[in-house]
Amino acid sequence: MNLPPIFVQKLQHSNHLNSVLALHPNILKSGYLSDQFTANHLLFSYLKFHKIKHAHQVFKEMPSPNVVSWTSLIAGYIECGAPEKGLHLFETMCRRSIVVPNSFTYSAVVNACSFLADIQSGEKIHARIERLGYQSCVVIGTALVNMYGKSNDVAKARRVFDTMPYRNVVSWSSVISVYAQNALGNVAIGLFGEFIRTVSELPNEFMFSSIISACASLGRLGTGRVVHGAVIRLGYANDVVAGALVDMYAKCGCIGYSDKVFRRIGKPCVIPYTSMIVASAKHGLGKLSLELFKEMLEKGIRPNNVTMIGVLYACSHSGLVDTGLDHLNSMEAKHGIEPNAKHYTCIVDMLGRVGRVDEAYNLAKNTPMDTNDATLLWASLLSASRIHSRLDIAIEAGQRLIELNQQLASVYVTMSNTFASAGEWESVHGLRRSMKQQGLQKEPGCSWVEIKDRSYVFYAGDLSRCERVSEVMSLLRELEMRMKERGHVSGSNKGLVFVDVEEEDKEAIVGLHSEKLALAFGLISIPKGMTIRVMKNLRMCFNCHEAFKMISEIVDRDFVVRDLNRFHHFKNGSCTCGDFW
DNA sequence: TTAGGGTTAG
């Protein structure tokens, strides 16, 4: 039996960076850096400890790095969060033409393009992969599916997947996550079913996480519970799946289940904590969010920038303005997290809600950001300005959004509504003309809810497509009556009336009703990219937690989904488990 | 004989 060289054995058994650091000069002195196998092990040992500079030093010290050395270093740069450097290194490798990239190199490079969402480079590399015939490699195919998905080109991702000669559970997970991440949860769920029916492999944690996330975005509680059952039966219990479940139950209105799932995690890491912080915040339980945040800090779990978004979001949605400002101002000193545009957007939103529109505006003006962040921030400020009748700031926010060329139809509608509430009809008509000239049409707001495997869809301003209209209307009347009893009159409807510029004469309040209804059933659908509208109108009218309490008094218990039969799909009819908990 | 693909929270 051939044993690996002695240094390699030692490197393989190094569990601490110090032992690698100690071996390095010995390897150098003994001349073993010219042995590619040993040098590559040294390089890789540094990468295991995320020491990219040390790894690069080894690479430079090697007299003749081979394809493994180049590929390891490229992958190392991607791993440590510098994919652009990985890509640059690949270009150098090709330019020098001494070492030829292989399939391992190409999979790493495609991965770099995924992280950068750089579809231009990705497509060029894809073309080279095809020329070289590497496209039939399952790892490269899967990496390409992921790359197109991360660049939001779902069609191309699917085309690659469909032409793969061999696919495994990783390839299926990848294509399912592409749909889940691109607001096409129904397709993701359909593909999951196809995988279960046609592939003999079992789904794994990656696949389950994506599918649970798809259920969350669609508000598909029934499917989500069935998937949860499968997760339990297959014994999967990692933080990522648990975090996805916490999020799914919260988005489906079941914060109690979120809490149960969360509390069953032995040692939750930062992600489930963040899920639970956000979940509580969305249900109006800001104080619980802050308690959870304190708890995780006490356990020594370090928050990241998303956790801080959750904390600020919690303050914002529970009116804890001063606490929110304190967290913003201390997050860098206390947790080493520099506030970014998303954090400032939470704060602008928080100030805007309580009517501190000038402060919100000053903050918005002075925050540097990219187009996506700017769109969220100015849209939030526009909405707050409308609610608080600040025509001056609404005009500026609207202009900024028009300059950004984002959400134009929404901007025109909100601006028009703001002018309408101020009685400035000339401007309202001007905006309507402008919309017509540009051919802008606002897509109607849409909410949906899944009850016993059936989806009920509600369009703003249009009840004709809504099933069970009379039941819906009677529930709404009762809900509104109770809201009024509890003081949720919401400023003589000023902030609540939803006027569609194209349909101004219709009964405008209907649009709002349909959205309230989705909440009434305890289910808020939040597909990526579509969310905000639904939430925005809701949040202006009442506190979600309060609503859930009221709804549980009104809604028939029959609406709770208890059917777990679809377990059978996963276990050939041998399921006997009737209780999730 | 070292190196490669898929997940969650905003």
Side-chain angles (χ1 to χ4, degrees):
Chain A
M1 191 173 93
N2 284 332
L3 283 172
I6 187 70
F7 284 125
V8 172
Q9 284 184 46
K10 284 186 175 171
L11 286 166
Q12 281 177 328
H13 292 106
S14 295
N15 293 322
H16 298 284
L17 175 64
N18 283 342
S19 25
V20 182
L21 286 166
L23 283 163
H24 188 166
N26 295 337
I27 294 171
L28 192 64
K29 267 185 266 169
S30 62
Y32 259 92
L33 271 183
S34 54
D35 172 44
Q36 291 170 330
F37 186 61
T38 305
N40 284 341
H41 268 283
L42 179 62
L43 192 157
F44 192 67
S45 299
Y46 278 127
L47 291 177
K48 265 198 315 196
F49 296 105
H50 310 288
K51 294 290 170 196
I52 187 72
K53 282 188 182 163
H54 292 72
H56 205 141
Q57 185 57 36
V58 175
F59 183 82
K60 282 184 192 161
E61 287 166 0
M62 286 176 77
S64 50
N66 65 7
V67 64
V68 179
S69 333
W70 281 93
T71 305
S72 301
L73 195 62
I74 290 169
Y77 272 110
I78 299 163
E79 176 76 13
C80 74
E84 68 291 342
K85 288 193 178 152
L87 219 48
H88 186 249
L89 201 59
F90 171 71
E91 282 155 14
T92 312
M93 179 187 187
C94 296
R95 211 173 34 248
R96 290 196 191 159
S97 324
I98 299 166
V99 180
V100 180
N102 64 12
S103 66
F104 284 75
T105 324
Y106 279 103
S107 64
V109 173
V110 171
N111 208 6
C113 298
S114 301
F115 278 108
L116 295 165
D118 179 357
I119 200 159
Q120 274 88 27
S121 306
E123 284 187 320
K124 279 184 203 152
I125 287 158
H126 186 181
R128 281 161 80 169
I129 286 169
E130 300 236 323
R131 277 201 301 277
L132 294 162
Y134 284 137
Q135 78 279 11
S136 54
C137 163
V138 65
V139 177
I140 291 188
T142 306
L144 284 168
V145 168
N146 183 44
M147 187 273 290
Y148 283 117
K150 291 287 184 318
S151 310
N152 306 114
D153 195 331
V154 179
K156 282 199 180 127
R158 182 58 185 265
R159 210 173 305 146
V160 174
F161 178 76
D162 285 342
T163 52
M164 284 171 75
Y166 168 74
R167 297 181 289 219
N168 60 17
V169 65
V170 184
S171 337
W172 279 89
S173 295
S174 182
V175 75
I176 285 171
S177 74
V178 167
Y179 284 106
Q181 289 164 359
N182 283 281
L184 291 162
N186 275 327
V187 186
I189 291 169
L191 276 167
F192 179 70
E194 193 181 330
F195 175 82
I196 299 290
R197 286 191 303 275
T198 62
V199 181
S200 57
E201 285 176 274
L202 281 173
N204 60 18
E205 282 105 328
F206 290 90
M207 199 178 271
F208 276 125
S209 303
S210 293
I211 265 325
I212 293 163
S213 158
C215 293
S217 66
L218 296 163
R220 281 184 62 167
L221 178 62
T223 312
R225 291 186 69 156
V226 169
V227 174
H228 186 183
V231 166
I232 292 170
R233 288 181 62 79
L234 290 169
Y236 294 145
N238 71 15
D239 270 22
V240 172
V241 175
L245 284 166
V246 166
D247 179 60
M248 185 272 291
Y249 282 123
K251 283 183 181 154
C252 290
C254 306
I255 185 80
Y257 288 172
S258 297
D259 186 59
K260 276 186 177 168
V261 173
F262 179 72
R263 289 298 165 196
R264 284 172 71 99
I265 306 171
K267 285 185 181 170
C269 70
V270 61
I271 290 172
Y273 259 109
T274 306
S275 303
M276 196 62 214
I277 286 169
V278 174
S280 312
K282 281 193 171 149
H283 285 256
L285 302 167
K287 287 194 175 147
L288 175 61
S289 298
L290 297 179
E291 279 165 26
L292 285 160
F293 182 58
K294 191 165 165 255
E295 181 185 302
M296 70 173 266
L297 294 179
E298 282 166 0
K299 285 186 183 171
I301 301 163
R302 285 188 60 188
N304 60 25
N305 68 322
V306 186
T307 318
M308 292 315 299
I309 293 171
V311 169
L312 300 178
Y313 181 92
C315 296
S316 169
H317 284 248
S318 295
L320 303 166
V321 182
D322 293 331
T323 314
L325 289 170
D326 284 346
H327 279 294
L328 176 82
N329 294 327
S330 65
M331 59 191 263
E332 190 159 9
K334 278 192 186 162
H335 314 296
I337 302 162
E338 192 187 345
N340 63 28
K342 291 187 174 63
H343 300 108
Y344 287 118
T345 301
C346 282
I347 296 293
V348 164
D349 187 59
M350 178 178 83
L351 293 167
R353 277 160 194 271
V354 294
R356 289 162 69 168
V357 188
D358 286 303
E359 283 170 78
Y361 171 65
N362 284 329
L363 194 59
K365 259 195 322 189
N366 297 314
T367 304
M369 52 204 153
D370 66 23
T371 305
N372 286 337
D373 288 332
T375 304
L376 282 174
L377 190 145
W378 288 104
S380 166
L381 193 58
L382 172 60
S383 167
S385 309
R386 181 176 69 89
I387 302 295
H388 295 285
S389 308
R390 286 297 302 268
L391 199 54
D392 52 341
I393 296 178
I395 290 169
E396 169 148 6
Q399 276 169 347
R400 296 246 191 184
L401 287 161
I402 290 165
E403 280 163 23
L404 289 164
N405 203 23
Q406 299 290 310
Q407 298 178 10
L408 289 183
S410 281
V411 174
Y412 277 103
V413 171
T414 311
M415 295 278 290
S416 167
N417 290 342
T418 316
F419 283 123
S421 7
E424 296 205 11
W425 300 106
E426 277 294 309
S427 306
V428 171
H429 296 309
L431 282 167
R432 286 183 60 175
R433 272 196 302 276
S434 191
M435 274 187 87
K436 273 201 177 129
Q437 280 162 2
Q438 295 179 59
L440 288 175
Q441 264 192 320
K442 190 177 176 304
E443 278 185 33
C446 167
S447 304
W448 60 94
V449 59
E450 181 193 285
I451 300 164
K452 286 196 168 177
D453 293 343
R454 272 194 77 175
S455 288
Y456 295 83
V457 186
F458 308 99
Y459 292 92
D462 178 10
L463 279 180
S464 66
R465 285 181 280 180
C466 171
E467 292 180 60
R468 298 165 67 181
V469 181
S470 56
E471 284 172 77
V472 164
M473 292 310 289
S474 102
L475 175 64
L476 278 169
R477 283 194 195 99
E478 193 176 345
L479 180 61
E480 284 220 303
M481 194 183 73
R482 294 196 186 206
M483 281 172 67
K484 277 183 189 163
E485 279 168 14
R486 298 186 191 194
H488 293 288
V489 184
S490 57
S492 66
N493 276 345
K494 217 175 178 182
L496 295 177
V497 180
F498 179 76
V499 184
D500 187 321
V501 276
E502 293 302 310
E503 305 282 343
E504 223 168 51
D505 297 328
K506 275 195 177 179
E507 194 188 357
I509 198 76
V510 173
L512 179 71
H513 278 170
S514 65
E515 291 182 355
K516 270 190 209 160
L517 185 78
L519 184 72
F521 287 111
L523 292 151
I524 310 166
S525 319
I526 311 185
K528 281 176 187 162
M530 264 190 75
T531 22
I532 314 212
R533 232 192 63 67
V534 175
M535 294 300 288
K536 237 184 223 161
N537 284 318
L538 287 172
R539 76 188 184 200
M540 294 303 175
C541 56
F542 57 90
N543 172 307
C544 295
H545 180 55
E546 188 72 12
F548 285 131
K549 273 199 303 198
M550 288 192 289
I551 273 74
S552 62
E553 293 163 16
I554 303 168
V555 174
D556 194 323
R557 291 186 65 80
D558 196 36
F559 282 113
V560 179
V561 179
R562 295 197 186 281
D563 178 18
L564 307 179
N565 290 334
R566 276 181 296 173
F567 268 160
H568 295 286
H569 282 313
F570 301 96
K571 212 66 185 175
N572 301 324
S574 65
C575 169
T576 50
C577 171
D579 190 354
F580 280 117
W581 317 105

